[in-house]
Amino acid sequence: MSSFPPAPVRHYLQFSDLSADEYAHLFTRAAEIKRKFKAYEKYHPLADRTLAMIFEKASTRTRVSFEAGMYQLGGSVVHLTTGDSQLGRAEPIEDSARVISRMTDLVMIRTYGHDKIESFASHSRVPVINGLTNEFHPCQILADIFTYIEHRGSPGAEGNALDCLKGKVVAWVGDGNNMANTWLQAAELLGFTLHLSTPSGYEVDQSVAGLRSSASYKIFKDPHEACRGASLVTTDVWTSMGYEAENEARMKAFADWCVDEDMMRVAQPDALFMHCLPAHRGEEVSAEVIDGPQSVVWDEAENRMHVQKALMEFLLLGRVHA
Ligand code: CP
Ligand code: NVA
């Protein structure tokens, strides 16, 4: 049930919507919430709260992680798609936002243009979370950075959980897409450097990514050079959802942007490999790398649920220290 008027509503539409200090808190909470889950400790801070999930694109991880996560926090979930709601019959997004946010406490949306989620948020009484737009995928980078901290830092240590990333190099190999834009925001906010290598014509656009400056990233023509010295190498599909008509052209343009063992060899010896999944072995990543010892993709996928539970707790209850 929604309370109205609510405390000032915080949305999570882009990575830059939270401060570094709030991320430090969130990662500490994610570690504690994960610990409780693994120990079968009941934790129901969101009892009687409802999450509406709106999917205009397909999903496996986002659907399962939000739905399971909300139930584990004691809440419940309403699942809507374009095909089974009035969203697919041209009801204005503003009207949908007004109605859905009167009956639920939190909304997660996966859609196409970022302008659509912004319109929804600006007419919503409750927090709105970006479950992926053409431009950004903040929940995924939240999970990726938490996974990096788990493997290379101290996840329970608020205040210095983020230190393990400071000054490091993260290499992005592939499309200048929603994931790349979100990594750019994370690098600027959290103090690491992003090395990007994309085929010509598929570069990132600093203004779309919404950066203040170009100080936190470097562009490389050769993907091997982007990986040199990196502590984390990451990639994504060559063709994102919504761009299927370009698939044939992309298969040709991206042929040299496959993360393979040669690329991993020039990274740091203890470099991790991440991929948001779903993956295509033999396209953006070789089977040897994604199924190899440096890959942490399964932890990364699982961590979507733990970090999003911490995010939902934060957006609805503020800073919790339980
Ligand atoms: N990584 C990710 O968002 O996966 P889904 O498309 O399966 O939700
Ligand atoms: N860039 C991909 C991510 C999928 C999780 C897409 O938008 O389809």
Side-chain angles (χ1 to χ4, degrees), residues 187-223:
E188 183 164 85
L189 192 68
L190 303 182
F192 58 92
T193 301
L194 191 69
H195 285 186
L196 293 126
S197 180
T198 61
S200 160
Y202 299 94
E203 295 88 355
V204 288
D205 178 337
Q206 190 182 308
S207 64
V208 173
L211 298 192
R212 289 190 299 273
S213 82
S214 57
S216 54
Y217 71 93
K218 289 187 187 141
I219 304 284
F220 295 82
K221 274 207 169 71
D222 179 350

Side-chain angles (χ1 to χ4, degrees), residues 23-39 41 43 142-143 145-147 149-151 153-158 161 302-303 305-311 313 320 322:
Y23 279 114
H25 172 77
L26 216 60
F27 292 131
T28 306
R29 288 303 299 157
E32 173 59 10
I33 285 169
K34 182 171 181 176
R35 187 201 62 73
K36 288 185 202 291
F37 172 77
K38 297 286 178 187
E41 242 176 69
Y43 181 54
L142 198 59
I145 292 176
F146 181 69
T147 305
I149 295 168
E150 273 193 331
H151 282 267
S154 322
E158 187 161 355
E302 178 189 328
N303 281 335
M305 185 174 80
H306 306 301
V307 294
Q308 288 162 194
K309 285 168 75 178
L311 176 67
E313 179 194 70
V320 170

